[in-house]
Amino acid sequence: ANPTAAVPTNTTAALGSGLGGQFWETDTLAANTDGIICSYQVPAATSAIPGKALYITSVKVSAFVQVALTGGGYNAVIGIAHGHTAVSLATTEAAAAKAPRRLVLGDYAVASGAAVTTKLADFVVPFDPPLCVQPGEFVAVFKKKVGTAPSAGVIAHSITFNGYRA
């Protein structure tokens, strides 16, 4: 089944949780706000299972217009946040909390009123050395608009992570 579209936020995984997959974004989040496209928490250690770090060696991001946009016209900046101890990208550094470390993966232009099936992005970003996310920490792909947010429309994102646990 296709995902259900939702407006992303910078504090929850409104589009869905998981280490990659398909995520449909109702493209109305205000410009200049980080919106979480996907988020995943590396499992913490338990009494029965030792914790293992996640090493991300690359990430692939693809996007297209799934429902035509009304208005808009912006540049999308796609990034990865990792190492934070809460799902929120607004988490601040403190004695018992870690703020997200952010890297830009790429950007693409979205035309005002973009039509259905308009291809927006397709890029792969390798990490050498790999990004390390410790047990209990989060990794998230996020998007920020620079320009004008549309008043309606849906962007379909496909995200693939490559890596290993050790």
Side-chain angles (χ1 to χ4, degrees):
N2 287 328
T4 301
V7 178
T9 74
N10 67 347
T11 58
T12 67
L15 276 62
S17 297
L19 193 57
Q22 293 181 327
F23 304 91
W24 285 12
E25 170 197 11
T26 301
D27 202 21
T28 57
L29 181 65
N32 301 315
T33 303
D34 291 340
I36 298 169
I37 303 301
C38 74
S39 181
Y40 176 76
Q41 184 177 25
V42 176
T46 68
S47 59
I49 302 170
K52 292 185 177 184
L54 172 64
Y55 292 88
I56 301 169
T57 57
S58 70
V59 64
K60 177 182 178 182
V61 176
S62 298
F64 65 90
V65 177
Q66 196 274 328
V67 173
L69 304 183
T70 302
Y74 65 89
N75 286 308
V77 178
I78 305 295
I80 188 168
H82 64 97
H84 42 304
T85 52
V87 68
S88 174
L89 296 180
T91 303
T92 58
E93 202 73 24
K98 284 177 63 181
R101 280 58 177 160
R102 300 170 195 242
L103 296 169
V104 172
L105 298 175
D107 55 68
Y108 56 85
V110 181
S112 177
V116 172
T117 71
T118 300
K119 184 71 173 158
L120 299 172
D122 197 5
F123 49 86
V124 177
V125 179
F127 301 110
D128 187 19
L131 296 181
C132 179
V133 187
Q134 297 294 337
E137 295 178 347
F138 288 83
V139 59
V141 172
F142 64 91
K143 173 182 158 185
K144 178 175 17 183
K145 296 179 194 91
V146 179
T148 304
S151 58
V154 175
I155 305 294
H157 301 273
S158 297
I159 299 171
T160 304
F161 287 91
N162 289 308
Y164 57 93
R165 295 200 53 205

